[in-house]
Amino acid sequence: CTNLIVDHSEYVELLRKLRNIEGIKKVFIRSGIRYDYLMLDENETFFRELVKHHISGQLKVAPEHVSDEVLRIMGKPGRRVFDEFTAKYNKINKEEGKNQFLVPYLISSHPGSTLSDAVELAEYLRDSGLRADQVQDFIPTPGTLSTAMFYSGYNPLTLKKVHVVNDMREKAMQRALLQYGKPQNRDLVEEALILCGRTDLIGSGPKCLIKKGKTAVKTRHALSQQRRR
């Protein structure tokens, strides 16, 4: 928006007043940071004071996805913005002598998100070292563009078709991919990787999401039977 004025000065002033109240030891911000708005601020005073004074070990942020196509459909900035925020967050933490982490909030099965997009997100988590402790399946909410896409199968802004996940098995696979390290998700992750033609991510290599197991042959057989039907 051309009328947006990026300014954290009032917020910084409020936090400083809170820190100076007698008897107050710490004021923590656990979530609610709009990292895209923060990155537009050329004055890094708030960013630095946030890291120095207001994080209790970890900060929750909501990139929601990393696929640029899915983010575009969500109306969110591209992956590059989150990458830049993460790099700056780590840089300021290092300069301030802090060892604080980011906890990403992610959404699976959002309209437009395919299994391949979920695999891309899983690989991003693997490479970035971030852990998806908070994952939510997309839930239609009245009055939103996302819900209109979910029910119509089209993006109302472009009138282009979008991928909509109605199959519960695919929903389970997309969610499992975002927490691929959990033992209970292994079979779903393997099934998803086979469907996507990404068996290169099954094995003992450094880039693999899961190790090879006894279920691979059974999964391939089941998928083969489904295709024949």
Side-chain angles (χ1 to χ4, degrees):
C1 175
T2 56
N3 296 314
L4 180 66
I5 299 173
V6 181
D7 183 10
H8 286 91
S9 58
E10 290 185 1
Y11 196 8
V12 170
E13 183 181 353
L14 174 62
L15 291 170
R16 287 174 177 173
K17 286 180 179 179
L18 290 172
R19 292 204 307 266
N20 290 327
I21 295 175
E22 186 177 353
I24 297 296
K25 293 183 178 180
K26 288 288 184 180
V27 178
F28 293 130
I29 298 172
R30 297 188 182 276
S31 63
I33 297 296
R34 282 297 302 259
Y35 65 85
D36 50 341
Y37 179 76
L38 181 55
M39 292 304 293
L40 292 174
D41 195 345
E42 295 180 359
N43 185 341
E44 68 173 36
T45 299
F46 170 67
F47 206 154
R48 191 164 292 277
E49 292 201 13
L50 169 70
V51 170
K52 189 173 182 179
H53 299 293
H54 301 291
I55 298 176
S56 178
Q58 59 187 31
L59 177 67
K60 296 177 182 178
V61 288
E64 295 183 354
H65 216 288
V66 297
S67 164
D68 283 333
E69 177 61 20
V70 177
L71 290 169
R72 184 184 62 77
I73 289 173
M74 287 179 170
K76 291 182 68 75
R79 168 177 164 174
R80 176 185 58 81
V81 179
F82 185 64
D83 285 341
E84 290 175 353
F85 166 77
T86 301
K88 190 168 183 179
Y89 178 81
N90 292 333
K91 175 178 176 288
I92 294 177
N93 266 277
K94 186 176 181 181
E95 291 172 353
E96 296 294 339
K98 301 285 187 178
N99 185 29
Q100 300 171 137
F101 304 96
L102 289 175
V103 177
Y105 172 79
L106 303 170
I107 293 180
S108 61
S109 302
H110 188 279
S113 176
T114 65
L115 266 182
S116 294
D117 292 319
V119 171
E120 179 184 347
L121 182 46
E123 290 190 278
Y124 180 87
L125 292 171
R126 175 201 64 201
D127 295 340
S128 67
L130 295 173
R131 284 185 56 187
D133 291 330
Q134 292 184 299
V135 175
Q136 178 184 318
D137 287 328
F138 170 75
I139 299 174
T141 306
T144 65
L145 278 173
S146 296
T147 296
M149 294 182 214
F150 177 78
Y151 283 106
S152 69
Y154 287 85
N155 185 339
L157 300 180
T158 63
L159 298 183
K160 292 183 178 179
K161 274 193 170 185
V162 296
H163 177 72
V164 175
V165 183
N166 291 311
D167 179 73
M168 295 305 294
R169 188 68 175 175
E170 183 181 344
K171 283 180 71 71
M173 285 189 283
Q174 286 212 26
R175 184 183 178 94
L177 278 162
L178 306 192
Q179 295 177 319
Y180 62 86
K182 291 189 173 184
Q184 64 267 33
N185 289 339
R186 191 204 168 282
D187 289 354
L188 283 167
V189 171
E190 183 175 52
E191 184 176 341
L193 293 175
I194 292 171
L195 278 171
C196 291
R198 294 301 309 273
T199 53
D200 58 300
L201 298 177
I202 304 173
S204 56
K207 294 292 186 180
C208 290
L209 299 180
I210 56 171
K211 293 183 178 180
K212 289 183 179 179
K214 296 179 181 179
T215 61
V217 175
K218 293 181 181 178
T219 303
R220 289 192 183 94
H221 176 71
L223 293 173
S224 176
Q225 292 295 102
Q226 288 178 12
R227 293 190 185 99
R228 288 175 184 173
R229 295 193 195 106

